[in-house]
Amino acid sequence: MKINHLTSAEENLMKLFWKLESFYLKDIMEQHPEPKPHQNTVSTYLKILVEKGYLSTEKEGRIFKYTAIVPLEEYRKFLLRELSHNFFDNSGREILNLLLHENLISQETLKEFNPSAETKPLKVKEEFEYANEILNPKKDKKKGKEKEKDKEKKKKKKKEKE
């Protein structure tokens, strides 16, 4: 089953749909917290989510019954894989390091998952190099000199061609 990305609005509605599992449009309107969206807006999102393969429909008379067909757990796995791939070079270790560094998980909690493993304090990178370069664009002298040499070489090549 291929899972597609959801917008934040679609994700918010899917959270409600996962709780309801099977529902009608009127159920959504009753369950949706204030401020409630317009019924046509919800209908449009339902149509989109059916097209994306998150919901299935079953016609009952003049109305449709919707069922969530992508389980919440599968979507969570998809998001975690995407996060790992896009921001952590597919490294669970880097994710764990960040979770520990940001105090989102403790060493004690980590021990619960693998009690036999020795837990050494993990060395956490204090800075991400790429982010540091963007946030602090100060150039190293060597890099600056190397860039100047490259520019000079390009100028020489242009002159030789002329």
Side-chain angles (χ1 to χ4, degrees):
M1 159 191 328
K2 180 163 180 352
I3 298 179
N4 297 309
H5 287 275
L6 295 177
T7 65
S8 60
E10 292 167 349
E11 227 173 67
N12 287 334
L13 281 172
M14 278 305 298
K15 288 176 186 175
L16 176 61
F17 302 160
W18 280 312
K19 288 178 188 173
L20 297 173
E21 292 182 21
S22 188
F23 51 88
Y24 299 95
L25 179 59
K26 67 178 178 82
D27 298 327
I28 299 165
M29 298 309 293
E30 290 170 2
Q31 296 285 328
H32 199 286
E34 293 292 338
K36 293 186 187 292
H38 193 274
Q39 188 170 330
N40 291 345
T41 304
V42 175
S43 291
T44 302
Y45 278 113
L46 288 169
K47 180 181 175 188
I48 292 168
L49 290 166
V50 167
E51 289 172 1
K52 286 187 172 184
Y54 281 86
L55 301 175
S56 67
T57 59
E58 183 182 327
K59 191 162 181 142
E60 293 184 358
R62 292 178 24 192
I63 61 174
F64 286 99
K65 183 177 184 179
Y66 296 90
T67 305
I69 55 176
V70 174
L72 173 60
E73 192 60 31
E74 288 300 312
Y75 185 67
R76 291 171 71 191
K77 287 177 187 177
F78 165 75
L79 287 179
L80 189 57
R81 276 190 232 105
E82 288 289 304
L83 180 71
S84 175
H85 175 73
N86 292 327
F87 296 100
F88 294 97
D89 297 324
N90 289 325
S91 171
R93 183 182 190 101
E94 284 190 35
I95 294 172
L96 255 177
N97 278 337
L98 182 64
L99 291 172
L100 287 165
H101 182 67
E102 294 297 318
N103 297 320
L104 296 171
I105 191 171
S106 67
Q107 289 281 351
E108 293 74 32
T109 303
L110 203 53
K111 285 179 193 175
E112 290 175 19
F113 289 99
N114 192 0
S116 62
E118 289 183 36
T119 53
K120 300 175 189 173
L122 295 173
K123 186 176 181 180
V124 178
K125 287 184 178 179
E126 291 298 322
E127 301 174 30
F128 292 103
E129 291 177 26
Y130 185 70
N132 194 29
E133 289 175 15
I134 292 172
L135 297 173
N136 303 313
K138 295 178 184 175
K139 298 178 183 176
D140 292 341
K141 291 180 182 179
K142 287 182 182 178
K143 288 182 182 176
K145 287 180 183 178
E146 289 172 5
K147 286 182 183 178
E148 288 177 24
K149 287 179 184 178
D150 288 341
K151 287 180 185 177
E152 288 175 21
K153 287 179 184 177
K154 287 180 185 177
K155 286 180 184 177
K156 286 181 184 178
K157 286 181 183 179
K158 283 184 183 178
K159 287 181 183 177
E160 289 173 1
K161 288 180 182 178
E162 294 173 355

